[in-house]
Amino acid sequence: VQVPTLVITGAADLITPPSMSRAISGAITGSKLVIVEDAFHLGVFENPEPFLSEFAAFIENHSA
């Protein structure tokens, strides 16, 4: 992967657990890893504010 990458997951995600997200992020040079507390697999629906805030900041920091 040669583009800015955000890897984000819920701390309680059992389908794509934080350990898997850490491995994905570790394999992508320069990626940003965010683990959101109080969220499961569909964290953007369960606890949307931290997901949307992180996503918006990431887009803002990587806009042309």
Side-chain angles (χ1 to χ4, degrees):
V1 176
Q2 302 287 322
V3 297
T5 304
L6 174 64
V7 179
I8 188 166
T9 192
D13 189 339
L14 300 177
I15 297 169
T16 310
S19 60
M20 186 179 295
S21 295
R22 283 186 194 92
I24 292 167
S25 180
I28 302 171
T29 302
S31 67
K32 179 178 181 181
L33 172 64
V34 176
I35 299 174
V36 178
E37 297 299 320
D38 302 321
F40 293 86
H41 185 67
L42 296 175
V44 72
F45 298 109
E46 300 155 354
N47 190 4
E49 193 283 325
F51 280 85
L52 297 177
S53 177
E54 288 288 346
F55 183 71
F58 185 81
I59 294 299
E60 180 74 25
N61 290 331
H62 295 90
S63 295

